[in-house]
Amino acid sequence: MNIVTYVFGIVVALLVLVAVVELLRRRRLRERHALWWIVAGVVALVVAVFPGLLVSTAAVLGFSVPTNLGFFVCLVLLFMVSVSQSAELTALEEKTRVLAEQSALLEERIERLEQQHEVAERPTAGPTTAGPTTPAQTTTAQTLSTHVHDADRRG
């Protein structure tokens, strides 16, 4: 193996681990989602530091080319990430459905309460706007009526 390839593999594996840890530190990635990426970074680092391990493991497992074992491991890893994300998506869809149903029920309840409030604010059977409704208005109306009648008598 070429020394440049060896160093490049170690640097890339370390960059993957540093990136995942930094995303975790900044809370841009949650621990349960980072698990498989940390596993991938550690496996890549181990294989980069000990390339003979990949060759011997490939021979033991019956892979004729060690790179095929690497591709297989990557495929399994991506499958596990996909299954994990699908499970999370299913749980979030259920929560979204429940929240949408609760929101619809609350909106209906608000509409009913607003309608009840409007009905309660409407004037009931009683004096109309043509006549006085409070004692002060009644007194004022009587006073005006008296003055009008007095004026008619004088006129």
Side-chain angles (χ1 to χ4, degrees), residues 64-149:
S64 57
V65 180
T67 308
N68 288 344
L69 175 60
F71 287 135
F72 178 74
V73 169
C74 289
L75 181 68
V76 169
L77 177 76
L78 291 175
F79 176 76
M80 296 306 293
V81 168
S82 178
V83 168
S84 172
Q85 294 294 321
S86 294
E88 183 74 19
L89 180 63
T90 300
L92 290 175
E93 284 177 344
E94 177 66 19
K95 286 180 182 178
T96 302
R97 184 188 61 76
V98 168
L99 287 173
E101 289 173 357
Q102 288 175 344
S103 176
L105 290 171
L106 288 173
E107 284 179 13
E108 182 208 356
R109 182 176 179 201
I110 288 171
E111 286 178 19
R112 266 188 292 126
L113 290 172
E114 286 175 346
Q115 289 173 355
Q116 289 174 356
H117 182 69
E118 288 174 2
V119 168
E121 283 185 342
R122 289 187 194 143
T124 56
T128 61
T129 56
T133 56
T134 64
Q137 289 175 333
T138 304
T139 305
T140 305
Q142 289 172 349
T143 305
L144 285 173
S145 177
T146 305
H147 287 294
V148 169
H149 288 300

Side-chain angles (χ1 to χ4, degrees), residues 54-55 57-69:
L54 179 65
V55 174
T57 305
V60 168
L61 294 175
F63 287 90
S64 57
V65 180
T67 308
N68 288 344
L69 175 60

Side-chain angles (χ1 to χ4, degrees), residues 12-43:
V12 169
L14 286 174
L15 284 175
V16 167
L17 287 172
V18 167
V20 171
V21 169
E22 185 62 21
L23 287 171
L24 281 169
R25 189 183 71 75
R26 292 183 180 182
R27 302 215 184 275
R28 304 288 296 163
L29 184 65
R30 297 180 74 184
E31 292 84 6
R32 63 179 169 201
H33 301 296
L35 175 69
W36 294 112
W37 298 118
I38 290 172
V39 167
V42 168
V43 168

Side-chain angles (χ1 to χ4, degrees), residues 5-19 41 44-45 48:
T5 307
Y6 182 76
V7 171
F8 180 73
I10 293 172
V11 169
V12 169
L14 286 174
L15 284 175
V16 167
L17 287 172
V18 167
L45 184 61

